[in-house]
Amino acid sequence: MKHIVMAAAGLATGFALPAVAEDIKVGLMLPYSGTYASLGNEIEAGFRLGLETYGGASGATFEVLTEDTEAKPPVALGKAKKLILQDKVDVLSGIVSSGVLGAMRDLIDGSKVPLIVANAGNDEATGEACSPWITRLSFSNAQVNRPMGTWLHDQGVKKVYTLAPDYAAGHQMIDAFAASFTEAGGEIVGQQYTPFGKTQDFGPYLAKAQSSGAEAVYVFYAGGEAISFVKQYDSFGLKADLPLYGAGFLTSPLYVNAEGPAAEGVTAALHYVPTIENEANAAFTSAFKAKTGHLPSEFAVQGYDSARALVEAVKSGASDRASLGAALRKVSFEGPRGMLSIDPATNNLVQPIYVYQTVAGPDGLTQNVLAELPASADPANGCDLAQVSN
Ligand code: BEZ
């Protein structure tokens, strides 16, 4: 466990602080090993930049305790119990895997510790299994993929083959895409789910996709699996005849350079790309690049906005588990993704989705935005948090 205290920026820059500054203990739960390790490091970098940028104005200090969840629900549950019971954190943030989030839901709800989700898109956490203690500053799996079914059909693609890792996120992302694609009149001609975190050789799966009669392939892969998949798709010779589409984590700016030319021409959807043009994003991208040497990805902005949400909650007067939980659900601010608004019924962000293509630019691979698809709230599926006060 890393344990770092981030003093309010006011101390460094000479602003006056209130006589007694609150100390907010944050448990940051991320994968620092396994297929999603790079995502964890990127979210932490964004989170720390968010605290550094905005924390000073709150008059509080933020003590950040990190724990490695890997992408393993039992590991994460053990770490969460330690942070809640032993370290007595005021708030938790992080969580990359939908499987981990699903496993943690009852612990969070029962122990009444607020959780700011900085990645995991598990639809149920802001749907049928929602909790007033869970607020999501990232995306939901359906939100990213639902608009792509309609968009792809509108581009004239009628038959698609799908692939994804065999766990909650893989199933939810593909289900959302397939529902809107078939509703638009398209046909899913075949589907496969690959063993999560274990598949090294995608060849047998790609062979089936190739002979399926599909006009395109739509996938969800992220982290190390995305790099392997995109490279093998290209070296299998599929890219020219069977264009590759997907949830945009596939060609995330975080690791697209590791994919190299294999990623060129892949078209995908995300809630953030660093090429979005607005003032807040210009400030964020240059500050993040100055810190890390690379442009921020969707994972970085999720960490940054999660930290900002925490700061805004503290600024509104919250300082312990109960008051932070209540305040987090109500935060609203203008960030690199534009004006952020949290759906009061589900505690999920409502945000536009960008269809982008990875193209060669003057400084390497970059994201060319092809379309901005309007924001729409996910179905609440019985969740009605607007009625709940915590
Ligand atoms: C998930 O498990 O929810 C997830 C993991 C990596 C990228 C996007 C979603």
Side-chain angles (χ1 to χ4, degrees), residues 36 39 96-99 119-122 139 141 167 169 173 220 222 249 299:
Y36 289 158
L39 285 61
V96 161
S97 152
S98 282
N119 187 75
N122 194 326
F139 60 87
N141 293 330
Y167 81 105
M173 298 221 192
F220 159 67
F249 315 100
F299 306 112

Side-chain angles (χ1 to χ4, degrees), residues 316-339:
S316 76
S319 60
D320 56 13
R321 289 178 178 179
S323 55
L324 283 167
L328 279 165
R329 307 167 50 193
K330 301 191 186 87
V331 297
S332 157
F333 54 87
E334 183 141 18
R337 290 180 267 182
M339 197 65 203

